[in-house]
Amino acid sequence: MATESYVLNVLEVIEETADAKSVVFEVPTDLQEAFAYTPGQFLTVAVPSDQTGLAARCYSLSSSPHSGRHQITVKRTADGYASNWICDHLKAGDTLRLLPPSGIFTPKDLNADLLLWGGGSGITPVISIARTALEKGSGKVVLFYANRDETSVIFADELRGLVAEHPDRFTVVHWLESVQGLPTGEGIKLFASYFADYTSFCCGPPPFMKAVATALKELDIPRERRHQEKFVSLGGNPFGEVEEVLAFQAKLAEVDDADEPEDAGPTVTAPVSLEVELDGQHYAFDDWDGTQVLLEFLESKGVDAPFSCREGNCSSCACIVLEGDLAMKHNDVLDADDLADGIRLTCQALPKTEVLKISYNG
Ligand code: FES
């Protein structure tokens, strides 16, 4: 089963830099609720593909919710089929199939002091957070923004404008590799040390995110004030049997068959006593026998649990284990800290204990 997808009109395609474009979608009134989002969330886009019917990709919303816009920003990558297709072909008036906003890279408190880290196109969720916090919150916002050179800086004008509007609250530090070289771990740590009581949000290329994560850990910034957004390509199809896919179903089935399930380790098959907190609701079940992953079990019970990729790639389905433990068949997105904090992907989760309590409320 896939979550419901929607075909939306493209209102505008904006050239941000030579290799990055923003795409603005028109969300009709009856879909405003489904497409409501918090800053830092992403949309899953179905890019047409001759090979598979569609290629699913997650792109962060670079707009802020209070603007009423739904805008993603996409930067070409050398071998990136979807990013190149969007940059080369998409234009105003076209349509694209989308899944509603998702993701957990979003501040709980917009009034907190925020230390934002953007590497290249990693600025997209970060600028959404900055815009929203400056407009709706009251804390200070510091952005460390690393780019290859001046021409690759996305949103340079907007950032200048936001600094001019909020001179006492917003500081942007640009780091250009062409001028300063790559930022070093020591340099990042020194910079972060001035803002040790801020809450960090970091998105960018893996080496940049790793350097920031290491620096923040070495500074003993507590886990709840360190957030990272990682994107990996979605290999499968979270859109279900939509028109574009039906023609390629047989081929997709072959690919699925070829995917060897990973070993989740020892799991429990006795009926599990399960309690779930989701959106202020409390559910209790006593008949999960581990033959389905947790997300599917909850869906079979009519629970509207969140998800996107269903492949362990995106973290949309993440929950926190409050009691007991869950094993995962596959995990491309949670790191050791996340796991130590009890975060698990329900689309991959099987029971490890006979009593379980989980929460989606973070
Ligand atoms: Fe993407 Fe579970 S739905 S990781």
Side-chain angles (χ1 to χ4, degrees):
M1 193 180 102
T3 195
E4 194 165 359
S5 61
Y6 303 91
V7 176
L8 297 190
N9 287 325
V10 173
L11 268 184
E12 201 181 349
V13 176
I14 303 160
E15 185 150 339
E16 302 286 0
T17 65
D19 57 5
K21 290 190 177 175
S22 289
V23 180
V24 184
F25 296 100
E26 180 181 18
V27 177
T29 314
D30 60 331
L31 292 184
Q32 285 290 339
E33 198 180 326
F35 276 80
Y37 65 100
T38 53
Q41 288 196 307
F42 61 85
L43 293 174
T44 307
V45 176
V47 172
S49 160
D50 290 342
Q51 304 299 313
T52 54
L54 60 80
R57 294 290 183 273
C58 300
Y59 293 110
S60 294
L61 286 143
S62 50
S63 50
S64 54
H66 66 270
S67 69
R69 278 165 86 86
H70 290 77
Q71 170 183 301
I72 57 170
T73 302
V74 179
K75 184 175 179 181
R76 284 180 196 277
T77 52
D79 300 315
Y81 168 75
S83 62
N84 282 304
W85 185 90
I86 288 173
C87 289
D88 288 336
H89 298 291
L90 201 64
K91 55 187 188 318
D94 288 347
T95 57
L96 267 187
R97 184 179 295 280
L98 303 171
L99 294 180
S102 191
I104 54 172
F105 183 71
T106 185
K108 286 195 178 63
D109 178 8
L110 286 174
N111 297 319
D113 292 329
L114 300 176
L115 177 54
L116 307 179
W117 306 85
S121 61
I123 189 66
T124 53
V126 162
I127 196 168
S128 174
I129 293 171
R131 283 177 169 140
T132 311
L134 291 169
E135 182 67 30
K136 299 291 179 193
S138 57
K140 302 230 187 262
V141 181
V142 173
L143 168 62
F144 182 98
Y145 186 13
N147 278 287
R148 197 180 51 232
D149 55 35
E150 206 171 340
T151 63
S152 50
V153 179
I154 310 173
F155 305 126
D157 290 344
E158 278 103 320
L159 289 170
R160 259 193 297 276
L162 285 170
V163 170
E165 270 175 55
H166 305 275
D168 50 341
R169 291 183 54 213
F170 189 33
T171 306
V172 178
V173 174
H174 285 282
W175 187 282
L176 299 180
E177 195 187 322
S178 59
V179 179
Q180 293 140 292
L182 283 170
T184 64
E186 275 310 300
I188 286 174
K189 189 172 162 188
L190 179 63
F191 183 80
S193 69
Y194 296 114
F195 308 102
D197 53 353
Y198 283 37
T199 300
S200 270
F201 286 84
C202 177
C203 185
F208 177 72
M209 292 214 296
K210 190 162 180 219
V212 172
T214 304
L216 298 178
K217 271 187 217 169
E218 286 177 5
L219 289 168
D220 291 329
I221 312 286
R223 177 68 184 85
E224 63 272 17
R225 287 200 281 111
R226 291 186 270 123
H227 304 273
Q228 293 217 330
E229 182 70 317
K230 291 171 219 161
F231 284 112
V232 289
S233 287
L234 305 183
N237 166 33
F239 293 89
E241 295 184 353
V242 294
E243 198 183 313
E244 305 91 306
V245 167
L246 283 171
F248 298 91
Q249 220 171 16
K251 188 161 186 170
L252 284 178
E254 272 170 33
V255 173
D256 283 349
D257 287 348
D259 278 348
E260 286 290 323
E262 289 174 37
D263 184 6
T267 56
V268 169
T269 49
V272 169
S273 157
L274 171 67
E275 288 183 53
V276 179
E277 290 169 12
L278 169 64
D279 292 339
Q281 302 277 341
H282 184 264
Y283 303 89
F285 305 104
D286 58 9
D287 55 348
W288 183 29
D289 62 7
T291 51
Q292 296 167 294
V293 291
L294 178 53
L295 173 63
E296 286 170 8
F297 173 74
L298 293 175
E299 288 173 327
S300 75
K301 297 291 185 185
V303 177
D304 191 15
F307 70 91
S308 177
C309 72
R310 291 181 176 274
E311 295 197 332
N313 285 341
C314 76
S315 81
S316 302
C317 64
C319 71
I320 295 190
V321 177
L322 304 175
E323 189 181 339
D325 202 0
L326 291 166
M328 286 188 290
K329 297 200 295 184
H330 183 70
N331 164 33
D332 262 343
V333 69
L334 302 179
D335 63 20
D337 283 348
D338 298 325
L339 298 176
D341 287 346
I343 301 176
R344 300 288 185 272
L345 305 172
T346 58
C347 73
Q348 302 297 317
L350 294 171
K352 264 179 111 167
T353 55
E354 290 180 20
V355 177
L356 267 161
K357 191 166 176 187
I358 66 154
S359 170
Y360 281 93
N361 303 335

